[in-house]
């Protein structure tokens, strides 16, 4: 088997979408703000932002003029004015080490902030655990602490916490509020800031009667940073599949220079035409053609094929494949962004950036969520300050007991209770969970699919694959191998098909067909090769289009012929009586029958038939078990289509034959009236049908135009991969729905509790630190739930 590039190179005339890395996004509100700003820019027709991978996919309108030669420059400047740093994704080469360095730098920064915040929180808690508000002896021994006193010490700790690890949250929150796009940082920053300012007023002016709880902003900050750190660690795992694809390309290769020894060079320095040596155990560094050597090559990392490829001179290998047995010499064909591996990675990145339609509801809610929470917090504060404690005076009598006294200051006045509840509302709300619900599952699902050789074009394609109700197939090259094989050899007069008579028949037919390119000729030549037959020289060869081939062979008088029965009968060569029932039987079974004749008589017949894929029957059975309606749209004759349908167990009502591309479109439109439909094909004539279907699916061995119009590309030859793709899409969409249900349900339940709904009847309230902890757990939950896709079969 020879593998070619499974993805088409992008056209130079086409307007390629942009992919930007965007820093500073924390929640769904940020995503909504970035998308809205991008869509406002001239020349931008589409924008899709992924909170998990922090990328923005931007579709450009070729009919509009952009204000700059490089549209990315204007878009980056626009996002920077909004407070988000962005830069264009570098697709000129694969450099996993740079990404790792950036990730490590981010980890170190977040780790330092977390350690400082948790240390300050521990100091604050130890101080409040001391009896009577006095500091423990260890803290009183510190220089300057006795002069400050316990309250002054807590004020100092809170000031250090907010100006240190909390400074970024406060700055970003204020900036987002100023831009009229309040975010998670706005809510948390307002909660911490209001608690700190109220405590500071109480500390500086004791006569004001305001509550003093410096420990709450410190503990709130600690829990928020802890949650974000754990969330970031979990989110990083969602992109591991893409990182593993990047690691498939080695950093260096052995370049051959004349007769000298091979020299190790960077892969980025290779150019088409160079020759490299591939040792056993090496990854293929570039797309290339084998010019010397024979070896087994593991292709499973790219196509999901379990069996290795037997590679020899003329075999095309893709970057990322693994050489298993012997040294190979390759001539470089494609490098850098032109290589198949680079285009697969670019496609996966775009797929993870393009969101699923189901995310639209969450985005609309997330864009207004922070404003709604601010209004709810204000209403909570006013209600409990002015009316709540008058209606239920007992809420102040028990406020100093239980966990609240440990996790937050005791509320002894209406103002202090109202302030704490308002802060809890600000902090417990979780727009992060809404923003993460869909992209986490889509990122994990598309990454898992890519590792199995299944390339979805985006989250919209994954969602459509999960909602399919019908799957239609092209016949040749999709359900069948696309390579006709000789299935019967019947010499006239009852000769042995496997003996000399059969060999003579195949030798004559293959010799006549050796200079043609018809698929049937390939079948005859392959059969001659399997039998070890030498081909004879042909003179005066003529091809009769649609009928057959004739020519003169050594040892044969006059013209010899091979072709369709009707053509030979027109030449005055009737079919022997004993072959007539056999011809009718073979044609009824869907075979194409060729007659082989000398100048004087028909010598026998050869049946050629395209065989079903070995896994076609099982794949169709599995698809039917998933509740999908199945059908075949083929341009082939009626008999082969009916025969194939019978062999694969397909209902005759779902079969259609002798269709041109326009007729295939008409059939698809009729099927779409019963629900979402997918079309599976691999040929040029399938491209319109793939584009017209709700989900176009191209097999990896098909033509580039078919793959370019498909929403799902299946690399390799396994039809069972289609079953895997649809099952993975259904599991991914199920995770999306679970995450959205959790995100909406969590906020609907905890916001009323944080606002004090259970305080009068049950004495239950959420302190701000506990609210921060719940908010962090909510975000982590949706990420972990998406990661469970890794553990599903």
């Amino acid at each position: 088997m020879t593998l070619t590039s499974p993805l088409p190179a992008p056209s130079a005339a086409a307007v390629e979408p942009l992919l930007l890395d965007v820093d500073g996004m924390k929640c769904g509100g940020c995503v909504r703000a970035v998308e809205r700003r991008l869509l406002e820019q001239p020349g931008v027709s589409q924008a899709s932002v992924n909170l998990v991978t922090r990328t923005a996919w931007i579709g450009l309108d070729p009919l509009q003029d952009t204000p700059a030669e490089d549209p990315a420059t204007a878009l980056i400047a626009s996002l920077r004015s909004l407070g988000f740093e962005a830069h264009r994704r570098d697709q000129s080469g694969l450099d996993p080490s740079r990404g790792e360095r950036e990730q490590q730098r981010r980890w170190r920064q977040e780790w330092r902030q977390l350690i400082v915040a948790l240390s300050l929180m521990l100091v604050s808690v130890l101080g409040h655990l001391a009896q009577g508000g006095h500091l423990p002896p260890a803290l009183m021994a510190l220089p300057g602490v006795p002069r400050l006193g316990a309250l002054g010490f807590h004020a100092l700790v809170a000031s250090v916490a907010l100006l240190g690890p909390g400074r970024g949250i406060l700055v970003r929150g204020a900036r987002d509020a100023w831009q009229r796009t309040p975010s998670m940082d706005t809510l948390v920053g307002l909660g911490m800031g209001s608690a700190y300012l109220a405590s500071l007023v109480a500390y500086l002016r004791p006569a004001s009667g305001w509550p003093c709880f410096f420990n709450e902003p410190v503990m709130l900050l600690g829990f928020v940073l802890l949650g974000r750190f754990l969330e970031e660690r979990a989110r990083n795992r969602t992109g591991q599949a893409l990182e593993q694809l990047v690691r498939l390309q080695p950093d260096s290769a052995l370049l051959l220079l004349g007769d000298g020894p091979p020299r190790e060079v960077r892969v980025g320095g290779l150019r088409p035409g160079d020759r490299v040596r591939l040792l056993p155990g090496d990854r293929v560094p570039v797309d290339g053609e084998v010019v010397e050597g024979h070896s087994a090559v593991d292709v499973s990392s790219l196509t999901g094929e379990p069996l290795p490829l037997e590679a020899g001179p003329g075999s095309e290998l893709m970057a990322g494949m693994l050489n298993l047995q012997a040294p190979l010499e390759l001539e470089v064909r494609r490098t850098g962004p032109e290589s198949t591996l680079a285009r697969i990675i670019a496609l996966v990145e775009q797929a993870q950036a393009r969101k699923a339609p189901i995310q639209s509801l969450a985005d609309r809610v997330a864009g207004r969520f922070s404003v709604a929470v601010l209004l709810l917090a204000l209403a909570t504060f006013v209600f409990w300050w002015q009316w709540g404690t008058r209606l239920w005076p007992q809420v102040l009598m028990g406020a100093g007991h239980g966990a609240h006294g440990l996790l937050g200051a005791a509320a002894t006045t209406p103002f202090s209770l109202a302030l704490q509840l308002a802060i809890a509302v600000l902090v417990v709300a979780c727009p992060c969970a809404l923003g993460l619900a869909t992209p986490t599952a889509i990122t994990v699902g598309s990454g898992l699919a890519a590792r199995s050789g299944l390339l979805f074009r985006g989250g919209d394609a994954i969602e459509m694959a999960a909602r399919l109700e019908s799957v239609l197939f092209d016949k040749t090259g999709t359900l069948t191998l696309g390579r006709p094989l000789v299935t019967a050899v019947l010499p006239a007069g009852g000769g042995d098909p496997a003996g000399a008579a059969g060999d003579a028949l195949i030798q004559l037919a293959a010799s006549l067909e050796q200079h043609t390119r018809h698929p049937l000729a390939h079948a005859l030549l392959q059969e001659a090769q399997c039998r070890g037959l030498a081909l004879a020289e042909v003179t005066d060869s003529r091809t009769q289009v649609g009928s057959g081939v004739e020519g003169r062979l050594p040892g044969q008088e006059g013209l010899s012929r091979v072709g369709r029965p009707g053509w030979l009968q027109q030449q005055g060569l009737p079919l022997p009586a004993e072959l007539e029932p056999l011809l009718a039987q073979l044609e009824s079974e869907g075979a194409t029958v060729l007659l082989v004749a000398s100048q004087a008589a028909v010598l026998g017949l050869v049946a050629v038939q395209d065989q079903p894929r070995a896994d076609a029957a099982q794949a169709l059975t599995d698809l039917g078990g998933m509740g999908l309606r199945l059908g075949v749209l083929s341009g082939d004759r009626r008999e082969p289509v009916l025969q194939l349908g019978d062999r694969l167990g397909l209902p005759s009502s779902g079969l259609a034959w002798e269709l041109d591309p326009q007729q295939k479109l008409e059939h698809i439109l009729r099927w779409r009236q019963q629900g979402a439909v997918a079309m599976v094909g691999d040929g040029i004539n399938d491209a319109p049908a793939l584009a017209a279907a709700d989900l176009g699916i191209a097999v990896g061995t098909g033509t580039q135009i078919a793959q370019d119009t498909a929403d799902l590309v299946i690399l390799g030859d396994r039809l069972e991969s289609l079953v895997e793709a649809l099952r993975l899409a259904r599991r991914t969409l199920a995770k999306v729905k679970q995450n959205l249900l959790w995100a909406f349900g969590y906020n609907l339940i905890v916001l009323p509790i944080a606002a004090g709904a259970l305080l009068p009847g049950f004495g239950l309230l959420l302190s701000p630190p506990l609210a921060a902890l719940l908010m962090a757990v909510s975000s982590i939950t949706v990420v972990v739930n998406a990661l469970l896709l890794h553990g599903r079969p």
Side-chain angles (χ1 to χ4, degrees):
M1 178 177 64
T2 299
L3 292 181
T4 57
S5 175
L7 295 175
S11 170
V15 179
E16 288 297 309
L18 294 176
L19 203 60
L20 302 181
D21 290 315
V22 183
D23 295 328
M25 296 188 297
K26 298 296 182 181
C27 65
C30 300
V31 170
R32 186 68 173 172
V34 170
E35 284 186 348
R36 190 163 54 238
R37 176 57 63 90
L38 290 173
L39 289 171
E40 292 172 353
Q41 305 309 305
V44 176
S45 60
Q46 301 178 65
S48 187
V49 180
N50 188 312
L51 179 60
V52 177
T53 59
R54 297 186 176 91
T55 55
W57 180 88
I58 303 158
L60 301 178
D61 189 346
L63 301 180
Q64 294 188 27
D65 295 329
T66 53
E69 293 184 2
D70 181 11
T73 303
L75 297 176
I76 291 172
S78 176
L79 292 180
R80 185 177 293 116
S81 67
L82 192 61
F84 297 97
E85 289 296 326
H87 57 275
R88 187 168 187 171
R89 176 71 60 85
D90 183 12
Q91 298 179 354
S92 61
L94 307 176
D95 185 9
S97 58
R98 183 176 63 182
E100 290 177 358
R101 291 194 299 270
E102 178 64 22
Q103 181 66 32
Q104 291 297 326
R105 183 194 66 79
R106 202 159 51 233
W107 282 133
R108 287 194 296 268
Q109 180 180 0
E110 293 184 1
W111 180 251
R112 286 195 298 267
Q113 290 180 341
L114 177 62
I115 291 299
V116 172
L118 292 181
S119 299
L120 293 172
M121 186 176 72
L122 179 62
V123 170
S124 180
V125 170
L126 289 176
H128 275 270
L129 288 176
Q131 294 294 330
H134 299 291
L135 295 177
L139 295 178
M140 290 296 295
L142 295 176
V145 172
R147 185 169 60 253
L148 284 173
L151 198 56
F153 177 77
H154 288 301
L156 177 62
V157 171
S159 300
V160 172
L162 267 62
L163 294 177
R167 181 175 178 273
I169 294 178
L170 295 174
V171 171
R172 288 190 299 268
R175 179 199 63 202
D176 294 340
W178 179 259
Q179 296 282 353
R180 292 184 295 179
T181 56
S183 63
M184 190 69 224
D185 284 333
T186 304
L187 301 180
V188 174
L190 185 58
M192 292 191 305
S194 58
Y196 176 80
L197 291 177
S199 301
L200 189 63
V201 170
Y203 174 62
L204 297 177
R205 298 183 59 185
S208 64
W210 283 28
C212 187
F213 37 67
F214 283 115
N215 69 312
E216 293 219 354
V218 178
M219 297 183 68
L220 194 154
L221 176 64
F223 283 131
V224 168
L225 292 181
L226 176 62
R228 288 188 176 181
F229 181 80
L230 296 177
E231 174 191 321
E232 184 69 22
R233 297 286 291 186
R235 279 200 289 183
N236 183 56
R237 290 188 57 196
T238 65
Q240 286 182 349
L242 184 59
E243 294 175 6
Q244 290 173 359
L245 283 175
V246 173
R247 293 177 183 275
L248 290 179
Q249 185 180 55
D251 294 329
S252 61
L254 296 177
L255 177 64
L256 295 176
L257 300 171
D259 297 329
R263 302 293 183 182
E264 185 172 350
V265 297
R266 297 282 297 178
V267 171
L270 296 176
R271 295 293 180 267
D274 290 342
R275 293 200 172 190
V276 296
R277 177 165 296 169
L278 193 65
L279 300 178
D282 287 350
R283 291 275 180 191
V284 179
V286 292
D287 289 1
E289 180 179 334
V290 178
V291 294
E292 186 176 324
H294 292 81
S295 182
V297 178
D298 182 3
V299 300
S300 61
S301 55
L302 292 180
T303 68
E305 294 281 356
L307 297 179
L309 165 71
E310 294 297 328
S315 299
E316 291 195 19
L317 303 182
M318 297 182 291
M321 293 178 175
L322 177 64
N323 184 24
L324 298 176
Q325 290 180 335
L328 294 173
E329 186 174 317
L330 271 70
E331 183 173 324
V332 177
R333 290 286 183 262
R334 292 174 294 273
T335 64
E338 299 299 321
S339 71
T340 298
L341 179 60
R343 295 205 299 275
I344 289 175
I345 292 172
L347 185 60
V348 175
E349 289 177 334
Q350 292 184 18
Q352 293 180 347
R354 285 174 52 181
K355 64 178 58 178
I358 196 174
Q359 177 70 4
S360 58
L361 174 61
D363 286 344
R364 287 195 298 269
V365 173
R368 302 171 178 84
F369 186 79
S370 297
V371 175
V373 171
L374 289 171
L375 295 176
L376 177 61
L378 178 62
T380 299
F381 176 79
V382 172
F383 173 80
W384 287 103
W385 183 26
Q386 297 296 325
W387 302 291
T389 53
R390 298 178 184 176
L391 295 174
W392 303 286
Q394 72 275 13
V395 298
L396 293 178
M397 297 175 57
H401 303 288
H404 180 59
L406 184 60
L407 289 176
T412 56
T413 66
F415 181 83
S416 62
L417 178 63
L419 184 59
Q420 289 192 51
L421 290 176
I423 295 173
V425 169
L426 290 171
V427 177
V428 80
C430 194
C432 295
L434 287 172
L436 292 171
T438 298
T440 49
I442 295 297
T443 300
V444 174
S446 58
L448 288 175
R451 288 171 55 186
S452 300
L454 312 170
L455 304 180
F456 286 97
R457 295 278 177 180
D460 50 347
I462 292 179
E463 180 176 344
M464 181 55 66
R467 299 184 184 277
L468 288 177
E469 296 186 29
S470 304
V471 180
L472 304 179
F473 294 86
D474 177 48
K475 171 182 168 287
T476 304
T478 304
L479 291 177
T480 65
L481 296 175
R483 299 185 298 272
L485 302 175
V486 172
T487 57
V489 179
L490 298 175
D496 182 8
D503 289 348
L505 202 64
I506 291 296
Q507 185 179 39
L508 190 152
S511 297
L512 289 171
E513 294 276 11
Q514 63 182 303
H515 298 301
T516 67
R517 295 183 177 274
H518 196 278
L520 299 180
H522 175 78
L524 293 170
L525 293 171
Q526 185 176 358
E527 181 67 16
Q529 183 179 12
C530 292
R531 293 181 177 231
L533 304 175
L535 302 183
E537 292 292 333
V538 182
T539 59
D540 196 18
S541 176
R542 293 188 296 271
T543 299
Q544 304 297 329
V545 178
S547 298
V549 180
E550 60 184 10
R552 300 182 184 274
L553 294 172
Q556 297 283 343
E557 294 184 3
L559 290 173
S560 298
R561 296 180 176 88
V562 57
R564 299 189 180 277
W567 175 58
L568 290 182
Q569 290 175 358
Q570 293 174 4
Q571 305 302 316
L573 297 171
L575 182 68
E578 73 270 14
L579 294 181
E580 288 183 359
L582 299 175
L583 171 63
Q585 178 183 350
L586 289 170
E587 288 185 336
S588 67
E589 294 175 353
T592 299
V593 180
L594 303 175
L595 296 187
V596 184
S598 64
Q599 175 72 24
V602 172
L603 302 178
L605 61 82
V606 178
V608 179
Q609 192 170 10
D610 193 4
Q611 299 297 304
R613 292 179 182 266
D615 59 349
Q618 184 60 48
L620 294 179
T621 299
D622 293 340
L623 291 173
M626 296 170 63
L628 296 168
R629 294 186 294 270
L630 305 177
V632 175
L633 304 181
S634 176
D636 206 346
R637 295 177 296 113
R638 177 179 182 273
E639 290 78 8
V641 174
L642 290 176
Q643 176 66 19
L644 179 69
D646 184 63
R647 294 181 63 176
L648 299 180
L650 293 172
S652 58
S653 59
L655 306 179
W657 49 85
E658 298 180 2
L659 302 178
D660 59 29
Q662 180 61 35
Q663 291 172 325
K664 285 188 177 183
L665 290 180
E666 295 171 358
H667 276 75
I668 288 176
L669 294 177
R670 284 198 290 268
W671 279 80
R672 289 183 68 179
Q673 295 175 3
Q674 306 177 50
V677 60
M679 178 68 192
V680 187
D682 75 327
I684 292 178
N685 62 331
D686 296 324
L690 295 180
D694 294 295
L695 185 77
I697 304 174
V699 295
T701 53
T703 61
Q704 290 187 352
I705 189 171
Q707 295 158 354
D708 200 27
T709 55
D711 303 298
L712 167 61
V713 177
I714 298 177
L715 306 180
D717 288 328
R718 295 189 308 128
L719 198 59
E720 289 180 350
S721 296
L722 173 60
V723 181
E724 297 175 12
L726 299 188
R727 284 176 174 168
L728 179 59
R730 290 188 176 187
R731 298 205 312 269
T732 301
L733 186 61
K735 289 297 180 185
V736 169
K737 292 180 178 178
Q738 292 168 12
N739 284 348
L740 288 175
L741 180 63
W742 166 262
F744 280 109
Y746 164 84
N747 286 291
L748 288 175
I749 293 174
V750 299
L751 279 173
I753 295 176
L758 301 181
L759 185 56
F762 300 92
L764 178 64
L765 62 81
L766 293 179
S767 66
L770 183 58
L773 183 61
L774 289 176
M775 180 269 294
V777 170
S778 177
S779 297
I780 296 172
T781 298
V782 296
V783 179
V784 173
N785 187 48
L787 289 172
L788 292 178
L789 280 169
H790 284 285
R792 292 290 302 275

